């Protein structure tokens, strides 16, 4: 059996703020919406993946936005460094705070949506290294500079290996 991750549903309070952030800033498309049951709260489905009807959905009706929930963060992968830069530019354009953090195996931006749900957007690096660990990185670097910095910063760790080798290890894991 293999459980393949599909989607997450968040309870939300301010529909306009949330939809504006996820569609205009992060580039999701609304794929469907409507009441969950007759006269029930609205559910709004969003996705960026044509193979997933929704990656996220929002159910209206969250009351206390200030309180901590069990959600730490949701994480999304981008394939190219220029897409990661695009995320940074989008967040900068709306003055949205983020933390650039590198885990050695990923270059990430961590931030929160308007209702304090944690989010991460990252690109894989060509390497793997023991987790958890994270060091702030400079998102002004170009791709070559950023990858050189990652290699230089993590290469002396005994667990630092090329990603192809780490994938093999995972396949062999019982
Ligand atoms: Fe993460």
């Amino acid at each position: 059996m293999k459980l393949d991750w599909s989607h997450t549903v968040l309870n939300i309070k301010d529909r306009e703020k949330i939809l504006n952030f996820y569609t205009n800033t992060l580039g999701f498309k609304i794929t469907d919406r409507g009441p969950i049951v007759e006269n029930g709260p609205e559910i709004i489905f969003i996705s960026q993946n044509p193979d997933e009807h929704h990656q996220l959905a929002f159910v209206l009706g969250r009351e206390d936005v200030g309180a901590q929930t069990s959600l730490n963060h949701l994480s999304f992968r981008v394939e190219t460094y220029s897409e990661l830069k695009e995320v940074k530019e989008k967040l900068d354009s709306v003055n949205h705070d983020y933390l650039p953090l590198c885990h050695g195996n990923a270059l990430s931006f961590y931030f929160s949506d308007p209702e304090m749900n944690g989010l991460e957007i990252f690109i894989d690096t060509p390497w793997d290294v023991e987790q958890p660990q994270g060091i702030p990185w400079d998102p002004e670097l170009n791709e070559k500079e950023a990858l050189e910095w990652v290699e230089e910063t993590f290469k002396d760790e005994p667990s630092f290996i090329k990603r192809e080798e780490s994938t093999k290890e995972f396949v062999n894991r019982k």
Side-chain angles (χ1 to χ4, degrees), residues 72-76 103 108 110 119-122:
N72 187 288
H73 68 277
L74 301 168
S75 183
F76 295 91
H103 301 297
S108 305
Y110 283 90
L119 292 169
E120 174 189 14
I121 296 181
F122 73 96

Side-chain angles (χ1 to χ4, degrees), residues 63-130:
E63 280 170 16
D64 192 0
V65 169
Q68 281 272 346
T69 71
S70 58
L71 177 72
N72 187 288
H73 68 277
L74 301 168
S75 183
F76 295 91
R77 176 185 281 108
V78 291
E79 289 297 328
T80 63
Y81 192 76
S82 62
E83 288 168 289
L84 194 63
K85 282 281 200 184
E86 209 180 305
V87 170
K88 172 186 153 35
E89 279 154 25
K90 283 285 192 178
L91 293 172
D92 283 341
S93 74
V94 290
N95 282 323
H96 201 89
D97 273 350
Y98 52 86
L99 172 68
L101 206 62
C102 178
H103 301 297
N105 60 4
L107 287 161
S108 305
F109 291 121
Y110 283 90
F111 51 100
S112 295
D113 79 9
E115 296 192 356
M116 304 310 289
N117 299 302
L119 292 169
E120 174 189 14
I121 296 181
F122 73 96
I123 184 174
D124 286 321
T125 71
W127 303 284
D128 210 347
V129 67
E130 215 164 64

Side-chain angles (χ1 to χ4, degrees), residues 23-38:
T23 60
N24 294 332
T25 305
L26 297 185
F28 283 89
K29 287 193 169 63
I30 295 174
T31 54
D32 258 325
R33 65 196 296 171
I36 291 183
V37 290
E38 212 178 52

Side-chain angles (χ1 to χ4, degrees), residues 2 5 9 12-13 16 25 30 42 47 50 56 70 73 76 78 80 88 92 107-109 112 141 151-153 165 171:
K2 177 182 177 251
W5 191 267
V9 182
I12 62 157
K13 185 175 185 185
E16 298 323 308
T25 305
I30 295 174
E42 186 183 30
S47 189
L56 282 177
S70 58
H73 68 277
F76 295 91
V78 291
T80 63
K88 172 186 153 35
D92 283 341
L107 287 161
S108 305
F109 291 121
S112 295
L141 299 177
E151 189 170 18
E152 195 52 42
T153 306
E165 291 158 33
V171 170

Side-chain angles (χ1 to χ4, degrees), residues 131-161:
Q131 299 298 321
Q133 59 174 319
I135 300 176
W137 64 286
D138 178 3
E140 298 300 330
L141 299 177
N142 66 35
E143 181 172 12
K144 188 170 174 286
E145 292 165 339
L147 291 178
E148 280 169 3
W149 175 85
V150 176
E151 189 170 18
E152 195 52 42
T153 306
F154 292 90
K155 73 175 173 16
D156 292 331
E157 295 200 23
S159 61
F160 185 81
I161 50 171

